[in-house]
Amino acid sequence: MKKFPAKKHKFLILFLTCLILFQGAFQDAFAFKLYNITDKLPWSDAAKQKRLQKQQEEETEPMVQTVEEWMERATDVKMEHRFSEPYKEEPNPKLVDKLEWPTFFEKYNNTPGSRELNLEKLMLDKSVRSQGVISPDFKLMAYTESYYHPSNQQTSSAFFIYPLDTMKGKKQRVTEANVFAGARKTALLSSSIEDLRQFLFSSFTIVDWSKDNKMVLLKEKVGSTIEGVYQTYVWVYFLGDTKDSDDEMDETAYLNGAYGKKYDELNEIIKEYWFSKDRLNLNHYRWDIKPLGFLSKNENIVVCTAYTYDEKLKEHIFLGLWGINVLTGENTLLSETLNDGFEISTNGSVLIRRLP
């Protein structure tokens, strides 16, 4: 094997070492120069990254060590930083905007003469829910449901109260009310028909809330889909005491001690009164009562009007204005004329949607 002289061997090693060092220095200088050039270019990623890192270092606050310091910093937020702009979708000029139905609240017990129950629609749909009547404090919503039973062609009804979410706005808590939410959908009153007679119906209709949010006035109509209404009965549902409950009321707070009561003695008293006065036997004629609402001066009094029908003139014959004391059950004749200045309160509200 050929050997290099010692001097040549040392020279070769020295030459290779210098070459390696020169190559490393050249690469460092080239990279440094390239970095400085790209750093001066405003559009380069390196410059953007460097400026972003420098900005973050300047904005970074020292780490908070104690809970007190964290709470102090958390509460010291500028007002303009506490609100966020809602997302707004850009309108598409090629599409037609949807027409929004304006919604507004309207007093419930101020439109007499409206249709209470559409029996034709009920027979097709098998169940119908009434509009929700909102309590004066906007915490509860009362409604009724009617059911049609095709097997015996009978109709029954039930009464419900739904607690509204008081953490939301008034319109939002009503529009987003879900009456199918779990155990909330519990019938408080039910019109069960014991007689298995064809075409017999019994339906609840809400008349109004009391001003103190503690009573709901209802009427129950009993009759036949062929022969018409037989009789109307007055019901009052008494709610539990919720004075000590918070604004965010418990779901069952209004049910504590709540109960419903039927006032059916008024019908017999009216018949006895007119028989003793004019020897008018109302058992031989079609007649009915209509609960109007709570008396404004005394909301323990439910005002009802009674009337029969004139077959020749096709009009109502007034049978007096009557009052029921819901606490004592006493029935009183308030007036034999219709316009005697008795003012009926209108307390409940409904949410109405109408086209502009």
Side-chain angles (χ1 to χ4, degrees), residues 223-254:
S224 169
T225 55
I226 296 177
E227 299 176 357
V229 178
Y230 294 155
Q231 198 66 70
T232 298
Y233 298 104
V234 178
W235 283 81
V236 175
Y237 189 82
F238 297 88
L239 278 76
D241 190 6
T242 58
K243 288 183 178 180
D244 298 332
S245 60
D246 300 330
D247 291 338
E248 188 177 356
M249 188 171 55
D250 183 76
E251 295 180 3
T252 59
Y254 64 95

Side-chain angles (χ1 to χ4, degrees), residues 207-339:
V207 179
D208 203 359
W209 282 83
S210 64
K211 190 180 299 182
D212 58 2
N213 311 285
K214 292 184 178 181
M215 293 181 289
V216 183
L217 175 62
L218 304 100
K219 57 184 174 182
E220 180 191 7
K221 286 185 176 293
V222 180
S224 169
T225 55
I226 296 177
E227 299 176 357
V229 178
Y230 294 155
Q231 198 66 70
T232 298
Y233 298 104
V234 178
W235 283 81
V236 175
Y237 189 82
F238 297 88
L239 278 76
D241 190 6
T242 58
K243 288 183 178 180
D244 298 332
S245 60
D246 300 330
D247 291 338
E248 188 177 356
M249 188 171 55
D250 183 76
E251 295 180 3
T252 59
Y254 64 95
L255 294 177
N256 296 330
Y259 64 97
K261 186 175 181 180
K262 182 179 181 180
Y263 298 88
D264 53 358
E265 295 181 357
L266 178 62
N267 304 63
E268 297 299 325
I269 291 176
I270 293 175
K271 288 191 291 185
E272 293 175 2
Y273 174 82
W274 285 103
F275 183 78
S276 61
K277 182 179 180 181
D278 293 338
R279 289 294 183 264
L280 177 63
N281 189 352
L282 291 177
N283 289 325
H284 298 161
Y285 304 98
R286 186 176 294 278
W287 70 283
D288 200 6
I289 65 172
K290 182 178 181 179
L292 302 179
F294 294 98
L295 187 64
S296 294
K297 294 182 179 180
N298 183 3
E299 287 215 337
N300 293 326
I301 304 296
V302 173
V303 180
C304 303
T305 180
Y307 53 88
T308 186
Y309 305 96
D310 188 323
E311 185 177 2
K312 182 178 180 181
L313 302 177
K314 303 297 182 183
E315 62 182 14
H316 293 171
I317 300 175
F318 186 64
L319 297 177
L321 200 66
W322 299 80
I324 304 174
N325 191 317
V326 297
L327 299 182
T328 62
E330 182 182 359
N331 299 274
T332 308
L333 177 62
L334 300 178
S335 173
E336 289 191 7
T337 59
L338 185 59
N339 300 318

